[in-house]
Amino acid sequence: MITVSNLCFQYRQPIFEAFHWHAERGERWAVLGPSGCGKSTLLMLLAGLKLPQRGEIFIHGERVVRPRPQTGLILQDYGLLPWATVRENVELGLKVRSFYGADGIHAPKEPARLQNTDFWLERLGLTAVADQYPAQLSGGQRQRTAIARTLLLQPDLLLMDEPFSSLDAPTREGLQTLTLELAEEQALTLVLVTHALEEAALMGNNILLLSQPPNRQAQVIENPNAGRPGYRESTEYAALCRQLRALLQR
Ligand code: ADP
Ligand code: MG
């Protein structure tokens, strides 16, 4: 699904140097590392919003040279339009796509199909607030609106950059569980960036650990039982958190 090959990327300072990484279709990855290590940069590269100076990124065998329509991207600050209702915000991505087309150049001949809006509003628990504006919503509802908007576009790959870090703990836990359910239901490949080791341990069946740049080698930790019922309370989860804490303190 995702192949990162010999990736070199730098701003003024190098962030990735001859970096390799591979993720299979349907896998759920957490990308964990301290602030400034290059997590967001990696996500922007995967999204096709930044391009490597050397090396390649392939998704489904196709080289990423621009944003691809089947990649969904969700950021911390939601990116909602303040003057549009929840329903209008959810429909926004599809309307943009119907105007510019899946390739961003050619408008499709068929008009946008918006019949899935109600399904996604319902699935994300937004039906009751569909006609409200973002300022009237809680942080959790705003993030669920952003998720609904992205899933309406039927992505096969979902990239999330610290999506829950500004939410209170109960809301965050609810959205973590919901995201795992949605990834399963929609057969998504998930790449979730976080600086919180507990979140990485909870959400990632594989954890990609980045360190102070430049990142040369991917350090991967397997976590096959993440997402199983009761995992949050398990001794395995607690042990993994201890392991990750020690690795991050090195
Ligand atoms: P993370 O998401 O892990 O906190 P980033 O990928 O945002 O890290 O940034 C990695 C490093 O690159 C940081 O040192 C950051 O200051 C730097 N950086 C990020 N974006 C830019 C930019 N547009 N120009 C110059 N330096 C940047
Ligand atoms: Mg970041």
Side-chain angles (χ1 to χ4, degrees):
M1 175 81 192
I2 304 174
T3 300
V4 173
S5 172
N6 193 34
L7 171 68
C8 299
F9 183 87
Q10 60 175 54
Y11 298 105
R12 229 166 267 154
Q13 76 284 33
I15 308 292
F16 293 100
E17 272 182 9
F19 186 82
H20 293 265
W21 175 54
H22 182 76
E24 294 290 342
R25 186 176 193 155
E27 285 182 340
R28 293 200 305 256
W29 283 79
V31 178
L32 175 66
S35 181
C37 70
K39 302 182 297 296
S40 296
T41 302
L42 179 61
L43 217 62
M44 292 299 141
L45 287 160
L46 294 175
L49 293 168
K50 291 184 191 297
L51 295 177
Q53 277 108 11
R54 262 184 296 134
E56 284 110 25
I57 296 175
F58 295 93
I59 295 179
H60 271 322
E62 248 183 81
R63 190 167 168 190
V64 178
V65 290
R66 67 176 75 85
R68 90 190 246 286
Q70 307 88 333
T71 296
L73 178 63
I74 292 182
L75 307 172
Q76 187 180 344
D77 58 3
Y78 323 126
L80 303 180
L81 299 176
W83 40 263
T85 66
V86 167
R87 174 182 292 277
E88 288 162 351
N89 267 291
V90 167
E91 291 177 343
L92 179 75
L94 205 56
K95 286 191 169 147
V96 170
R97 180 177 296 178
S98 71
F99 191 80
Y100 290 107
D103 60 3
I105 301 166
H106 302 96
K109 294 186 183 71
E110 298 290 314
R113 292 177 304 120
L114 292 176
Q115 69 264 36
N116 285 332
T117 310
D118 288 326
F119 170 82
W120 284 112
L121 287 171
E122 187 68 34
R123 183 65 187 87
L124 275 295
L126 294 165
T127 305
V129 295
D131 297 320
Q132 295 189 20
Y133 293 87
Q136 300 170 284
L137 305 179
S138 67
Q141 287 170 327
R142 285 180 206 173
Q143 191 56 293
R144 281 188 271 133
T145 302
I147 293 172
R149 175 170 67 192
T150 301
L151 294 185
L152 187 67
L153 295 172
Q154 298 187 293
D156 57 11
L157 171 62
L158 185 59
L159 308 175
M160 304 179 101
D161 194 355
E162 314 232 12
F164 312 131
S165 52
S166 54
L167 303 174
D168 58 80
T171 306
R172 183 187 314 131
E173 289 189 8
L175 271 178
Q176 287 168 337
T177 305
L178 178 64
T179 301
L180 292 176
E181 284 171 18
L182 292 168
E184 184 81 27
E185 278 171 31
Q186 303 296 313
L188 294 172
T189 306
L190 180 66
V191 181
L192 179 131
V193 159
T194 181
H195 67 269
L197 62 96
E198 294 85 0
E199 183 160 88
L202 192 77
M203 308 266 314
N205 289 121
N206 296 283
I207 298 169
L208 174 63
L209 193 65
L210 299 182
S211 50
Q212 290 306 332
N215 285 282
R216 294 197 177 86
Q217 220 161 16
Q219 190 178 354
V220 172
I221 295 152
E222 291 179 10
N223 184 25
N225 290 322
R228 301 249 169 96
Y231 184 71
R232 205 187 287 264
E233 284 77 38
S234 70
T235 53
E236 186 184 346
Y237 168 68
L240 177 60
C241 287
R242 275 196 301 279
Q243 184 192 352
L244 293 174
R245 194 168 291 117
L247 286 168
L248 285 172
Q249 279 165 359
R250 270 203 322 215

